[in-house]
Amino acid sequence: MSLRDLLLTRIRATGPITVADYMADCLLHPTLGYYTTRDPLGAAGDFTTAPEISQIFGEMLGLCLARAWLDQGQPAPFVLAELGPGRGTLMADILRVGRAVPGFVQAARIHLVEASPTLRAAQAEALADHAPVWLDQVEDLPRGPTFLVANEFLDALPIRQHVRDGTGWRERLVTESEGALTLALAPAMPVPELDFHDVPPGTLVERCPALPGIIATVADRIADGGAALFVDYGHRRSRGDTLQALRSHQPEDPLANPGQADLTAHVDFEAIARAAAPVAQVSAMTTQGVFLERLGITARAQALAARLSGPALDAHVAAHRRLTHPGEMGDLFKVIALAPPGAPLPPGVDP
Ligand code: SAH
């Protein structure tokens, strides 16, 4: 049975489902989900990510974490964690650059939170020398000093969508009409936790129910030492409908091919700050371009360029531009960092 037929059957039997339920099945259904059944990254896949574009991205994040580790007195051992590590490329780059910092790699205990068996296999290959431990969920992270990264992880978490209507909110649901999946609006209901969004009638607001718990857990783990870096595309606050599907690098209707396209939503950075603030220090949201420049990405890119020529040099220059330029990922992607109260924030982010 296809995931579309499975969803249609379920909706006919028990009624419309939330956008979050739809997204969760599309991405992580045990046998028909997008991430569970494939490696979607890279030129042959559906989308690419910063670590897959160039090693210099992971190197800068590695230097940032290693600096934070030095600033906090080199706790050893420590948990080096990544949420949603994809092919393991980012962690491999962090560990390679980390070798320049004496003791860092030796003290690191690699923990990867990954739901996809396919991607776990790719990570095992990329990190074969480092004996990583895989975890099903963020709550399984052990206690102790924790230095953590997550790139394009939060945007894969299911979101719910609500449209302002009078004093209430109408939730957007996925339902069926004439054998096809379609969107509908539930009757207006009060949702007090959304009322701080002072928006005109008809405005759509998104919220990610899993995000506060995940961020609070990370904030708790780093509270006694460590740091966390979240990199994703999004804004300071939820703005309109940002649910999008990508297949073969092309946008498409999120309902068109359930389980066959990557589904994401923009990340609400204010929600991250709100969830972390009770226990951790939170940086301002900083654009990826500014963050990477402050960490020295251009000097590193120039050093690598000196060894390249021809098409390899052209590709390298294009990758640097793509990661940092305001018209490309430089402004679209944002970074937010968490640190223990009283500790210096990791370098590169705005305080
Ligand atoms: N960070 C990688 C991959 C980003 S794609 C990169 O930058 O290239 C999103 C990643 O998060 C994939 O590895 C996916 O399998 C994983 N993922 C998505 N939802 C998840 C969840 N709820 N729990 C654990 N892993 C999840």
Side-chain angles (χ1 to χ4, degrees), residues 22 26 181 183 241 243-245 252-259 261-263:
Y22 175 74
C26 286
L181 292 168
L183 291 170
D241 176 11
L243 180 65
Q244 65 162 359
E252 66 172 29
D253 175 357
L255 300 185
N257 294 291
D262 184 43
L263 291 185

Side-chain angles (χ1 to χ4, degrees), residues 198-259:
D198 186 15
V199 293
T203 306
L204 190 148
V205 167
E206 297 176 338
R207 67 185 170 123
C208 178
L211 184 134
I214 288 172
I215 298 297
T217 302
V218 171
D220 170 72
R221 294 300 187 278
I222 66 153
D224 296 328
L229 290 175
F230 293 95
V231 186
D232 234 305
Y233 62 176
H235 308 282
R236 213 161 259 123
R237 188 177 273 197
S238 163
R239 284 193 195 165
D241 176 11
T242 73
L243 180 65
Q244 65 162 359
L246 266 190
R247 202 157 63 103
S248 304
H249 299 266
Q250 296 300 320
E252 66 172 29
D253 175 357
L255 300 185
N257 294 291

